[in-house]
Amino acid sequence: MVVNYFTGLADEVRELLAELGVEKLTDLIGRTDLLEAVEGMTAKQSKLDLSSILETPVSPLSHPLYWTEPNQPFDKAELNQKIIEETEAAVASRAGGSFYFDVRNTDRSVGARLSGSVAKRYGNQGMATSPIKLYLDGTAGQSLGVWNAGGVEIYLTGDANDYVGKGMAGGKLVIKPHVGTTFACNDATIVGNTCLYGATGGKLFAAGTAGERFGVRNSGTIAVIEGAGDNACEYMTGGIVAILGATGVNFGAGMTGGFAYVMDSNDDFEGRVNTESVEAISLSDLYIHQEHLRGLIAEHLEETGSVHAENILANFDEWIPKFYLVKPKAADLRTLLGHQSRSAAELRVQAQ
């Protein structure tokens, strides 16, 4: 059906080109003689003078009216290429190893070519037991760790732009500030907007806050961050997100799977939840989920050295009343962790 549609569209385009006396679409570029101005629908539009726009462009034969040179990737000789060259032997031998690079905000999709190389040879999890570990220092451009494969672990000291972990399928992404920074990590943005868009696996730990739409369409990644903007966990279908700080509005809109732990640091979280899709339940009496959250925060501390995470763990019982579990309305609370979840009260009765 689709093939027939496009065949018919191509035939129609060819017919229109023939009527205009040209062979291909590029022959129409610069043919302003084929255009004519229509009368304006308002008095203001009628006063417009379009003659300069409709003037036929004049160009020397050596300068075509459109770009004709191949468009090489911007970073062909930059960071992604260096990563491929330096890790080639470790990937080929399946030995894994650690590699160190500086990164800047013009380095985009860092790690994507490496993930492609790993996945092409061994599939998604083929190097998970002997990973390639990239240690980056600086500010990463857009899409750090995009389509990250199992067996690729990226540790960034600095910060990153939008789309961190977009479509990641495995491995690990860790982002933390430089040692000695004077600001509180949980009050500073460390990753941009729309992180983990469409992610299906792996883990992300970021010692700082994220921009808007964190975890949108996440369907399998486990993540810990320290705050997020509007529309976090939007259309989420799986995975687990722990947010150790405030969020923006419209949390969990369209969420149909997975769940989140969220700290209500400003005592206003219930008013920020999209109640059409999800419900927020206090963690105060959910013992098993408390311990699960404790484990996630401990792993976050180990990976990032977050002072905020260390604070929470040191005073865990005092922080727990601040946390909510957010799940899709249709999801059964008792089976979110794959087994029968019991409250602290039920466990105390059992112990007696």
Side-chain angles (χ1 to χ4, degrees):
M1 195 78 174
V2 175
V3 174
N4 290 339
Y5 170 78
F6 284 112
T7 300
L9 179 63
D11 289 340
E12 185 178 357
V13 170
R14 278 192 289 267
E15 290 174 8
L16 292 171
L17 291 176
E19 289 179 17
L20 293 170
V22 297
E23 294 183 2
K24 50 188 183 296
L25 286 171
T26 51
D27 291 340
L28 291 176
I29 297 173
R31 291 294 304 275
T32 53
D33 59 296
L34 297 175
L35 300 175
E36 62 179 42
V38 298
E39 292 186 10
M41 297 179 65
T42 66
K44 190 173 183 179
Q45 290 176 354
S46 298
K47 294 178 182 178
L48 291 174
D49 181 6
L50 303 178
S51 57
S52 60
I53 297 176
L54 297 176
E55 195 174 300
T56 303
V58 178
S59 175
L61 294 177
S62 59
H63 294 79
L65 294 173
Y66 60 93
W67 190 257
T68 59
E69 297 180 8
N71 184 16
Q72 296 294 344
F74 174 80
D75 61 354
K76 185 176 182 181
E78 298 290 336
L79 183 56
N80 273 324
Q81 182 63 24
K82 291 177 184 176
I83 291 172
I84 287 293
E85 291 170 356
E86 294 194 25
T87 61
E88 184 176 5
V91 172
S93 63
R94 217 169 181 173
S98 298
F99 303 86
Y100 299 82
F101 303 91
D102 289 328
V103 65
R104 56 188 180 181
N105 63 2
T106 53
D107 294 318
R108 299 180 298 241
S109 304
V110 175
R113 295 182 68 184
L114 173 61
S115 287
S117 177
V118 169
K120 185 176 181 179
R121 278 186 166 98
Y122 311 115
N124 180 34
Q125 298 296 332
M127 285 191 67
T129 56
S130 53
I132 300 290
K133 298 183 178 183
L134 302 182
Y135 290 90
L136 308 177
D137 188 280
T139 296
Q142 288 196 350
S143 300
L144 171 71
V146 59
W147 307 304
N148 208 67
V152 176
E153 299 181 359
I154 300 177
Y155 301 84
L156 169 64
T157 301
D159 53 16
N161 279 268
D162 300 341
Y163 293 106
V164 172
K166 178 174 67 177
M168 73 179 292
K172 187 189 298 181
L173 303 178
V174 177
I175 303 104
K176 61 182 181 180
H178 288 92
V179 174
T181 52
T182 57
F183 56 82
C185 60
N186 57 305
D187 287 333
T189 301
I190 198 165
V191 294
N193 299 316
T194 325
C195 299
L196 295 184
Y197 180 88
T200 61
K203 294 181 177 182
L204 179 148
F205 301 95
T209 68
E212 296 184 356
R213 302 190 78 194
F214 181 85
V216 58
R217 299 193 185 280
N218 174 30
S219 62
T221 299
I222 296 172
V224 183
I225 57 169
E226 301 183 359
D230 295 342
N231 307 303
C233 299
E234 184 182 30
Y235 303 123
M236 189 164 139
T237 62
I240 301 167
V241 171
I243 303 178
L244 313 181
T247 70
V249 298
N250 201 33
F251 187 94
M255 179 196 285
T256 57
F259 64 93
Y261 299 118
V262 183
M263 177 190 286
D264 186 11
S265 56
N266 295 328
D267 297 322
D268 62 356
F269 179 64
E270 286 186 285
R272 294 173 176 269
V273 175
N274 185 301
T275 54
E276 292 184 10
S277 303
V278 299
E279 58 182 337
I281 305 168
S282 172
L283 269 189
S284 295
D285 201 36
L286 299 177
Y287 178 75
I288 291 178
H289 283 282
Q290 289 179 22
E291 293 308 305
H292 182 237
L293 173 61
R294 191 200 301 263
L296 290 176
I297 298 174
E299 191 173 0
H300 179 66
L301 172 60
E302 182 180 356
E303 294 288 358
T304 67
S306 167
V307 174
H308 184 51
E310 186 176 28
N311 247 349
I312 295 172
L313 290 175
N315 305 280
F316 193 68
D317 291 340
E318 296 175 20
W319 281 102
I320 276 299
K322 285 279 190 183
F323 278 96
Y324 284 89
L325 183 151
V326 182
K327 70 172 187 67
K329 283 188 169 182
D332 187 343
L333 173 65
R334 298 170 299 174
T335 58
L336 287 181
L337 292 174
H339 54 73
Q340 190 82 4
S341 295
R342 293 166 292 173
S343 68
E346 289 174 314
L347 289 170
R348 282 194 293 271
V349 170
Q350 185 183 40
Q352 292 171 357

